[in-house]
Amino acid sequence: MNRKKSIWILTLITVLASTLLLAGCGKESDGTSAPASDKQKVQKLLVGTSGGPKPYVYLNNNNNLDGYDIAVLKEIDKLLPQYEIEFEATEFSSIFAGIDSGRYQIGANNITKKPEREEKYLFGNEYYYFNKTVVVVKKGRTDIQSIGDLAGKTIPVSPGGGFEQLFVEQFNKEHPDNKIHVTYTDQDRVKTYQDIAAGTVDFTFAERVMLKDIEQDYGIPLDTVELSKEDILKVQDPKAYFIFSKTGDGPAIRDAFDGALRTLLANGRLKEISNQYLEADYTR
């Protein structure tokens, strides 16, 4: 073999070896890591909440937001790796203003549907809480067993357009000859409970979960009348939802949350959280 042929063969071997080495390195790089630009970016979502009332939202002993709403959102966060959920306490009205401005991507505060809200905000298709509305009466009273028994009775109502006022107005339209008597007042709920216990008014409506400590905390003797789901739906919309912006990423975030809530319902985790914070199943 002459000298030129030997040099040519050595050169070919070197080129082939280098090609194989580069191919091997390229394959290893593709399999073990990806450029930072190809990795999924985690989107931060800020939740606006008022920080009350307990047990839905409150500050715990470590001064951190806690409660049923917060616990549900933290479970949703675990199921959605594309998002990172953070919380901020604010005034209730500022939850909606914050979504308007884009500061908050989510509103969470036991929020129920109202036509004016649905016009501006996107509600989840899945609700995470079903409010068990009850009739609150004086201890030992037995003549009120359903909303049909409320005719001729007296209820104190705040004139601010709350669900009690709306229900009574509708009831009285349907029963013009046997109306519920209304006393309009701006007094707080505790004063209303005291008036019921004293017999100066007949009843009010309340969320069952909010009443469990009222007798212990205030020493007010009361009874509650459980309502059927049919009657509850006549009194108010009992379902609470997370709300989102109708624009930008709002619809996509809403859809992701809906999927996560369906998972929590199916695997029983939502019921567990309800039992932990609300001491009963308020999921459906």
Side-chain angles (χ1 to χ4, degrees):
M1 184 181 295
N2 59 42
R3 178 179 175 81
K4 289 183 177 180
K5 190 172 183 180
S6 298
I7 293 172
W8 181 84
I9 291 172
L10 288 171
T11 302
L12 180 61
I13 292 171
T14 301
V15 170
L16 288 171
S18 298
T19 301
L20 290 171
L21 180 61
L22 288 171
C25 290
K27 183 176 181 181
E28 182 180 358
S29 175
D30 290 342
T32 58
S33 63
S37 60
D38 294 336
K39 293 180 180 178
Q40 185 181 41
K41 293 183 179 178
V42 176
Q43 181 180 357
K44 290 189 176 182
L45 305 178
L46 187 58
V47 178
T49 181
S50 73
K54 192 176 181 179
Y56 306 116
V57 187
Y58 59 91
L59 291 177
N60 61 24
N61 292 334
N62 296 320
N63 209 36
N64 295 321
L65 282 170
D66 202 349
Y68 177 67
D69 289 34
I70 304 301
V72 172
L73 284 165
K74 287 181 177 179
E75 288 297 316
I76 290 174
D77 194 22
K78 293 176 184 177
L79 294 174
L80 301 177
Q82 68 271 37
Y83 299 123
E84 181 181 337
I85 296 177
E86 299 177 349
F87 304 92
E88 182 173 279
T90 186
E91 296 293 328
F92 184 77
S93 60
S94 296
I95 296 173
F96 302 95
I99 292 178
D100 291 340
S101 69
R103 178 170 181 78
Y104 302 137
Q105 289 71 54
I106 306 157
N109 218 111
N110 193 23
I111 297 172
T112 56
K113 287 184 177 181
K114 292 183 179 180
E116 62 272 21
R117 290 176 181 170
E118 291 185 89
E119 286 181 9
K120 294 189 66 176
Y121 307 102
L122 192 63
F123 281 73
N125 291 312
E126 300 291 338
Y127 62 92
Y128 65 95
Y129 172 72
F130 188 95
N131 171 25
K132 306 292 176 65
T133 306
V134 295
V135 180
V136 183
V137 297
K138 184 177 181 179
K139 193 79 170 178
R141 187 165 185 169
T142 60
D143 61 320
I144 297 175
Q145 295 298 321
S146 70
I147 61 173
D149 298 324
L150 300 178
K153 308 299 191 297
T154 302
I155 180 175
V157 168
S158 171
F163 76 87
E164 299 99 331
Q165 181 181 356
L166 296 176
F167 166 76
V168 170
E169 290 174 353
Q170 183 61 35
F171 184 96
N172 288 344
K173 284 181 182 178
E174 296 173 1
H175 303 82
D177 298 326
N178 203 4
K179 297 181 178 181
I180 295 173
H181 302 299
V182 181
T183 300
Y184 289 101
T185 176
D186 287 325
Q187 68 188 24
D188 62 26
R189 300 294 291 182
V190 174
K191 180 63 168 62
T192 293
Y193 297 143
Q194 290 171 335
D195 288 347
I196 291 171
T200 56
V201 296
D202 294 309
F203 76 97
T204 190
F205 295 107
E207 297 175 29
R208 187 173 70 186
V209 71
M210 299 295 292
L211 282 172
K212 61 187 182 68
D213 296 326
I214 196 73
E215 187 168 355
Q216 176 182 334
D217 292 347
Y218 296 99
I220 305 173
L222 299 168
D223 272 341
T224 59
V225 178
E226 301 288 329
L227 297 177
S228 66
K229 282 193 174 183
E230 181 182 3
D231 277 354
I232 289 173
L233 289 167
K234 292 177 182 178
V235 175
Q236 67 166 325
D237 185 343
K239 301 169 185 176
Y241 302 83
F242 300 122
I243 62 170
F244 312 84
S245 171
K246 285 189 172 183
T247 61
D249 294 332
I253 298 169
R254 188 274 307 272
D255 291 346
F257 272 53
D258 282 344
L261 277 173
R262 285 191 289 269
T263 297
L264 295 175
L265 274 167
N267 65 19
R269 183 61 182 136
L270 191 64
K271 181 178 179 180
E272 291 176 359
I273 298 171
S274 180
N275 283 323
Q276 177 185 350
Y277 283 90
L278 310 179
E279 299 183 6
D281 180 8
Y282 288 87
T283 62
R284 286 297 180 270

